[in-house]
Amino acid sequence: MRRVIVTIMAVVATIGMSAQVRKTVNLNFGWEFRLNNEGEWRSINLPHDFQIEQPWVAPAADEKADNTDVAANIKSRLSSRGFKEMGKGYYRYQLTPTDEMKGKRILLDFGGIMYTGDVFLNGKRIGGTDYGYVGFEIDITDQLQWGKANELAVTADTREPNNSRWYTGGGLIRDVKLVVTSKDLYFARHPLYITTRDNRFVSISAEFTNYTKAKAIDMRVKVTAPDGQVVYEGKSTRQRNMPTRTLVNQVPEIEIQNPQLWDTEHPNLYTVEATLLREDGTVADEASSQFGIRTIEFGPAFGMKLNGKKVLLKGYANHHTLGALGAANYPRAIEKRLQLMKQFGINHIRTSHNPYSREFIELCDKYGILVVDELYDKWTRQHTGGRVAFEQLWQYDVPEWVKRDRNSPSVVMWSLGNELQQDPNQPFNDFGVTMFKLMKTLLHRYDSTRLVTVAMHPRYRNWDTDSLPCELAKVTDIQAYNYRYMYFPGDGRRFPWMTFYQSEASIAAMGPNFFEMDLDKVIGLAYWGAIDYLGESQGWPAKGWAQGVFDISLEPKPKAYFMRSFFVPDEPMVSIAIIDKKGDMMWNGVQTGNDGMSSHWNRQPGKELQLITYTNADEVELKLNGKSLGRKKNPKNDPKQRNLIKWDSIKFAEGTLLAIAYNNGKDVAHHQIQTTGKAVKLSALADNIEWKADGMDLMHVRVEAIDKKGWRVPMAQDELFFEVEGDAQIVAVTNGDINSEELNVQNHRRLWNGSAMVILRAGRNPSKVILRTKANGFKTITTKLETK
C-alpha cells in the first residue's frame, strides 16, 4: 500500500507592529492543506491532526499484511497507531511583513509538530524538529523578503508504525506563532525562572541578550497577587562583566507578606512581569510568567507533602490525544477533561510518555492538578521519532522542556523515561543508569527544585528470577514502579531511603492496588488509561484502548464510580453496575481486561444477573420495585473487596432497581436505575456557557434519545445528522464506542448507549449559532447557542 502524504499551506497574512515592544501573533488561521500532495488545496485552521481525518485501515484491507496471518500482522503494524496509515503532511502559509517590522528580531514559534517536522521559508529549509512533542523556535530575521508574500511551508511526518507504541496523530497539532522583538536587547526563550522558599520568599531570574553598547542593563520587576494586587515592584541591574552577550539577571530575593498559597483546592497564581530597559529608560522587551507559592517534600516516611501536609497522588496516566479530536491541541477540550477528573477525585496526571502542550500545564496550574511531567518513552531512536539517534536529541530537548514548565506549581516531579527495562538497546548498555545521570545533570542546570525519576516496568532486571530492583531504581530520586506496588514493602526494607510511586496502576486491579499500599508512606498512583484513547488496540475492531473508566467521549463507565468511592472517601456514595461479560485480557505482563459492565435496567425478562454496588458507606440495601433484596455490609477490612459488594442471581423484572447506602444505620446515598420506554424524542445539552469567539474555543453538545419520562434510552442506536448555522463549524463527532467504524470528522454519528456528541469550533466573529440535530423517526431539535 502506498504511503499517505498530506500537505498544508496558508493564505496571505500581513503582520504589522503596534506600540508594543514585543508582539506575538497567532498564526493558526488561514492555512491550506492537501492530502498526498495531490488534488486541490483546501483551507484549514490549526491545530490540525491530519491522521484523524483518514479512513481506518482494517486488517483485511492492509495490502502489506502477510496473507497467512493478516490479523496478527496488522496488529503488530498499525494497531498501536490507531489503525491509521502513516504518512506526511505538507502545510504552507504566506506571510507578508510590513515596513514596521524592519529592524526587529522576528521568530517563528512552534508548539509541536507530529511526529517530526521540517520548516521551509521561500523554498529553503530553515529548521525543524526530530521529536515533535517538544516545541522550538526559528529566527527568520535575515530570511524574510520585504514588501512581498513569503511562503512558509511545513512538512510533518508520522514516521513508521514502529516509531511509536500509540496513536500520535500527525501534523501541526499545536499553535504556531510569530514573535517580534527588538533586535539588540531582548529576553531569551522561556527567560524567567521563578522559585519559592519557605512559602513566602520568591527568587526571580531572567535570561536576556544584550547587543547594545551598554555595560549595565536594568530590569524592572512587578509581582501581582492572585487578587490583582501588586505586592512587589523593584529594579535589578546586571553588569556585562563577561564576553558573552547572553546573561542572567538575578533579582534579590523577595519576601511576600501574607502569601496566598497554591494547592489542589486553592490554586492561587501570582504573576511576574519583567521589563528590560535601555540606558535612556525606554522599554526594550517584556516577559511575564505565572507561578505559585508552595512547597513540595518527598520522603519514605510520608510519601509526599504539599505545603507541609500529606497529599496522596490520586490520578491517571494517559497519552496526549483528546478523543475524537485526535492530537489537535484545543485548550477547551483539555479543560473539559480536567473539570471532569476533579469531580471524580483525581488530583494528579502523569504525562505519559512525552510532554503535553504548554496549555495543558497552564490549565493544571489553574485547576490544582499535580503533574508528573514526562519527557520520553524509551531512550532509543525507534521510540523518539526514528529520524536521528536518541543521543542527538536529549541535550536539546531537556532544556526546552524544563525551561518551558519549571515555573508551573502543578509540576511536582520530572520523569525522564518509561519502561527502559523492556528494551536492551539503551545508551551505554547499563539499562539507563549513565544516561539518567547525564540527563539529570543537565536538567538540574535549569531546575534544581524538583526530584527526577523514570517509570520502571518491570522494576527488576529479569522478568522471572531477579528479586532485587534494577540499578536504575537505586539512582532515581523517586522509585516509580509501573504496576508492581507489591514490591514496595520489601524494597523499602532493603533500601530504607526509597520513596515509592505507582506510576502506572491497572484498572483491572483497581481497589487492591490502592488499598494494599501503605497510603501513609507512598506518594500515590496513576491509573493507566483511565480515559479510553486511540491506539494500543487490543484487537480489531477496537480502534484503541478500551479498558478505561471513562469512554473516549468522556462518559463515565460504572467503574468510574468505584474509583470515586475511594478517591473521594468523605462523600458517601453508591452506584449500581451490572456485569455483562467477564474480562481477562493481558497486556504488558499485567491483566488489563475489565469486566464489561453497564448501569441500565433494560434486560431480558427473567434473566438472572450479577450485580455490583460500589460504595464507601457501611452497607447497602438493594430494592427491586420497592421489595428489599437484602442488605449487605461493605467489606472494608478486605483490601481486595473493599467498597465493592457483589449480588448474585438477581432476577430481572421491569421497573426500578434502587440501591440505598447506610452509615451507622442512616440513609446517606441513593442510586436508582429503571426500565425505560421507547425513545420518543431527542434532547441536547451544551457544556460551555461562555463560548468565546476567538476561533479556538469549543462547544461540546451531548445528544440523547429519551423516553416520555425523560430517561435516556440505552438501546437507542439511531443515526444523527448535524447542521450548523452561524460562525462555527463541526470539528468532531463521537459517541464513546471505540469499536465503531465511523470516522470522527464528519457531520453524522450513530447513538451508542443512547448518546452521541458533536463538537463545534467557534469562529472569530461573535455570532448566533444554531445547531440542528436530525434523525429518522424523531422531530428535529434546534439548539440555540452564541459566541461572544
Side-chain angles (χ1 to χ4, degrees):
M1 177 179 285
R2 63 182 180 181
R3 282 171 57 86
V4 177
I5 300 177
V6 186
T7 303
I8 303 177
M9 305 176 89
V11 299
V12 175
T14 301
I15 307 299
M17 290 293 293
S18 68
Q20 293 175 275
V21 293
R22 172 175 285 255
K23 178 78 171 180
T24 300
V25 181
N26 190 313
L27 298 185
N28 283 355
F29 307 101
W31 295 76
E32 291 180 328
F33 167 86
R34 64 178 178 181
L35 176 63
N36 202 29
N37 209 15
E38 299 173 350
E40 297 295 325
W41 295 98
R42 65 181 176 93
S43 298
I44 60 99
N45 295 322
L46 308 183
H48 181 255
D49 175 1
F50 67 77
Q51 272 198 309
I52 199 69
E53 305 172 355
Q54 306 311 314
W56 308 111
V57 182
D62 184 4
E63 297 171 6
K64 292 182 179 179
D66 179 351
N67 292 329
T68 62
D69 191 0
V70 171
N73 188 283
I74 192 68
K75 176 170 173 45
S76 64
R77 202 179 76 82
L78 289 181
S79 61
S80 291
R81 303 292 293 269
F83 291 105
K84 297 285 188 176
E85 188 56 87
M86 301 300 101
K88 291 183 178 180
Y90 296 82
Y91 300 70
R92 73 180 179 190
Y93 190 101
Q94 294 199 17
L95 175 67
T96 303
T98 65
D99 289 341
E100 295 170 290
M101 296 173 64
K102 288 184 177 179
K104 301 290 184 179
R105 175 173 171 261
I106 305 168
L107 307 170
L108 289 170
D109 183 346
F110 289 86
I113 302 176
M114 199 48 50
Y115 187 4
T116 63
D118 297 289
V119 182
F120 303 84
L121 188 65
N122 300 320
K124 177 184 177 182
R125 187 182 187 277
I126 56 172
T129 177
D130 294 314
Y131 184 63
Y133 292 107
V134 174
F136 63 98
E137 68 181 15
I138 305 171
D139 189 332
I140 61 171
T141 306
D142 298 327
Q143 310 285 343
L144 278 175
Q145 297 177 7
W146 299 94
K148 60 186 292 188
N150 290 252
E151 183 179 273
L152 171 64
V154 179
T155 303
D157 191 344
T158 64
R159 305 298 297 165
E160 298 304 320
N162 68 345
N163 288 137
S164 179
R165 299 188 298 121
W166 55 86
Y167 175 83
T168 61
L172 288 171
I173 62 167
R174 298 177 186 166
D175 290 348
V176 177
K177 298 174 183 177
L178 187 78
V179 181
V180 183
T181 74
S182 66
K183 201 170 184 179
D184 57 351
L185 182 57
Y186 52 85
F187 283 115
R189 182 171 173 82
H190 312 309
L192 298 179
Y193 182 30
I194 307 164
T195 61
T196 62
R197 180 175 65 85
D198 296 340
N199 274 349
R200 73 177 191 273
F201 296 103
V202 179
S203 177
I204 303 168
S205 65
E207 185 180 11
F208 68 98
T209 297
N210 175 22
Y211 282 109
T212 72
K213 295 180 180 180
K215 298 299 183 183
I217 296 295
D218 288 339
M219 183 175 71
R220 189 168 62 226
V221 175
K222 181 170 71 173
V223 180
T224 306
D227 58 7
Q229 189 173 28
V230 175
V231 295
Y232 173 82
E233 283 189 286
K235 188 183 291 185
S236 176
T237 301
R238 179 64 163 93
Q239 301 288 334
R240 183 170 169 245
N241 53 7
M242 56 182 65
T244 180
R245 293 284 185 172
T246 299
L247 305 166
V248 174
N249 190 326
Q250 179 67 57
V251 179
E253 190 171 62
I254 301 164
E255 183 175 2
I256 304 295
Q257 300 296 325
N258 303 313
Q260 301 175 56
L261 301 186
W262 186 96
D263 61 31
T264 56
E265 300 306 316
H266 309 92
N268 295 306
L269 292 171
Y270 286 75
T271 302
V272 168
E273 296 174 69
T275 305
L276 283 177
L277 302 175
R278 299 185 182 277
E279 285 185 301
D280 61 3
T282 59
V283 174
D285 200 3
E286 298 169 324
S288 66
S289 177
Q290 289 189 313
F291 72 99
I293 298 176
R294 58 102 174 105
T295 58
I296 294 289
E297 303 169 74
F298 294 95
F302 56 84
M304 174 180 164
K305 290 182 180 179
L306 174 62
N307 299 328
K309 298 179 181 179
K310 164 71 178 179
V311 169
L312 188 70
L313 295 188
K314 298 178 289 187
Y316 72 88
N318 260 64
H319 296 302
H320 66 292
T321 49
L322 297 170
L325 296 165
N329 181 66
Y330 288 96
R332 172 56 195 150
I334 299 168
E335 182 179 49
K336 183 178 178 67
R337 288 186 169 219
L338 298 185
Q339 291 169 332
L340 177 63
M341 297 305 110
K342 293 278 283 190
Q343 292 174 22
F344 280 81
I346 285 173
N347 66 6
H348 160 56
I349 297 173
R350 173 181 165 223
T351 67
S352 309
H353 304 291
N354 44 261
Y356 288 12
S357 68
R358 179 61 194 159
E359 291 79 9
F360 168 84
I361 298 293
E362 290 172 344
L363 285 165
C364 288
D365 292 340
K366 175 181 177 180
Y367 284 99
I369 300 292
L370 303 169
V371 177
V372 172
D373 203 346
E374 192 157 271
L375 179 57
Y376 294 122
D377 187 21
K378 297 167 179 58
W379 300 336
T380 67
R381 177 175 185 152
Q382 176 185 343
H383 297 100
T384 52
R387 194 154 79 165
V388 299
F390 173 77
E391 291 84 347
Q392 298 178 38
L393 288 177
W394 65 272
Q395 61 268 44
Y396 302 104
D397 293 342
V398 169
E400 168 68 16
W401 166 61
V402 173
K403 291 172 73 175
R404 190 197 75 167
D405 291 345
R406 63 188 175 181
N407 295 335
S408 287
S410 63
V411 177
V412 297
M413 193 191 310
W414 303 114
S415 176
L416 289 169
N418 175 68
E419 297 184 349
L420 308 181
Q421 293 88 337
Q422 295 186 24
D423 193 319
N425 300 311
Q426 301 303 308
F428 308 110
N429 198 34
D430 60 358
F431 286 95
V433 173
T434 300
M435 192 72 255
F436 173 80
K437 291 178 179 179
L438 287 171
M439 284 196 284
K440 180 182 173 181
T441 300
L442 180 58
L443 188 157
H444 277 174
R445 163 67 179 83
Y446 299 102
D447 178 49
S448 59
T449 67
R450 296 172 177 86
L451 299 186
V452 187
T453 193
V454 171
M456 299 172 217
H457 182 63
R459 100 322 169 202
Y460 38 86
R461 292 164 291 186
N462 185 291
W463 278 94
D464 302 314
T465 61
D466 200 333
S467 63
L468 293 175
C470 63
E471 293 304 309
L472 183 61
K474 299 175 186 177
V475 300
T476 55
D477 298 332
I478 297 295
Q479 284 59 53
Y481 296 175
N482 291 353
Y483 310 108
R484 304 305 189 192
Y485 69 93
M486 62 288 295
Y487 290 101
F488 291 171
D491 287 359
R493 287 190 296 270
R494 293 185 183 94
F495 309 99
W497 45 266
M498 286 185 168
T499 306
F500 297 103
Y501 162 54
Q502 193 178 168
S503 37
E504 289 179 22
S506 169
I507 288 174
M510 180 176 280
N513 56 18
F514 181 83
F515 293 117
E516 289 179 351
M517 295 192 298
D518 187 338
L519 300 179
D520 292 330
K521 293 184 177 181
V522 299
I523 294 170
L525 87 178
Y527 279 110
W528 177 257
I531 305 173
D532 289 352
Y533 57 86
L534 294 174
E536 293 192 294
S537 169
Q538 294 176 302
W540 181 269
K543 309 309 184 299
W545 181 263
Q547 308 304 323
V549 297
F550 301 95
D551 72 28
I552 200 167
S553 75
L554 299 183
E555 282 282 272
K557 301 179 187 180
K559 208 165 188 177
Y561 296 94
F562 181 35
M563 180 182 71
R564 193 180 191 280
S565 74
F566 54 86
F567 275 9
V568 191
D570 297 330
E571 292 185 16
M573 58 79 62
V574 64
S575 185
I576 301 168
I578 296 101
I579 298 177
D580 299 316
K581 61 180 179 179
K582 299 295 290 182
D584 57 1
M585 187 174 292
M586 300 294 292
W587 179 266
N588 211 7
V590 176
Q591 181 176 337
T592 58
N594 287 300
D595 291 343
M597 292 183 288
S598 56
S599 292
H600 66 80
W601 201 238
N602 287 50
R603 308 283 168 172
Q604 295 178 4
K607 183 175 182 179
E608 290 192 349
L609 304 169
Q610 184 180 3
L611 276 63
I612 294 174
T613 48
Y614 296 125
T615 188
N616 51 20
D618 295 339
E619 53 185 344
V620 170
E621 182 179 16
L622 206 58
K623 289 185 175 182
L624 179 58
N625 295 327
K627 180 182 178 181
S628 179
L629 301 180
R631 193 158 164 166
K632 295 187 177 184
K633 291 186 179 297
N634 183 352
K636 292 186 177 182
N637 293 325
D638 182 355
K640 295 188 182 300
Q641 300 296 324
R642 185 172 175 176
N643 289 12
L644 186 157
I645 300 174
K646 295 181 179 179
W647 305 78
D648 294 322
S649 302
I650 301 297
K651 186 174 290 188
F652 172 76
E654 286 191 5
T656 299
L657 184 67
L658 173 66
I660 307 170
Y662 299 91
N663 276 336
N664 299 318
K666 182 181 178 182
D667 178 347
V668 292
H670 288 188
H671 182 218
Q672 177 178 296
I673 57 178
Q674 55 284 314
T675 308
T676 64
K678 179 183 177 182
V680 296
K681 64 178 181 178
L682 301 175
S683 173
L685 179 64
D687 76 332
N688 193 347
I689 59 174
E690 295 183 357
W691 195 14
K692 298 184 291 295
D694 61 1
M696 288 289 293
D697 202 9
L698 301 180
M699 178 72 77
H700 300 76
V701 182
R702 175 75 61 178
V703 180
E704 299 178 350
I706 58 177
D707 67 8
K708 63 182 180 182
K709 293 183 179 180
W711 297 107
R712 182 197 290 190
V713 179
M715 301 297 111
Q717 298 181 6
D718 303 84
E719 187 168 18
L720 307 179
F721 295 85
F722 303 103
E723 297 176 356
V724 178
E725 286 185 16
D727 193 18
Q729 66 179 94
I730 297 170
V731 288
V733 289
T734 183
N735 61 12
D737 182 8
I738 201 79
N739 293 327
S740 176
E741 81 288 356
E742 300 166 288
L743 294 177
N744 299 110
V745 184
Q746 54 189 9
N747 68 345
H748 55 94
R749 189 77 175 194
R750 286 194 303 271
L751 295 167
W752 187 66
N753 291 333
S755 168
M757 186 165 67
V758 58
I759 305 175
L760 308 180
R761 177 176 179 170
R764 289 187 287 173
N765 299 307
S767 171
K768 302 286 185 182
V769 176
I770 295 176
L771 171 68
R772 292 187 179 87
T773 306
K774 302 178 180 181
N776 290 334
F778 293 91
K779 181 180 178 181
T780 297
I781 59 170
T782 299
T783 307
K784 295 181 179 180
L785 308 165
E786 185 176 4
T787 62
K788 298 178 181 179

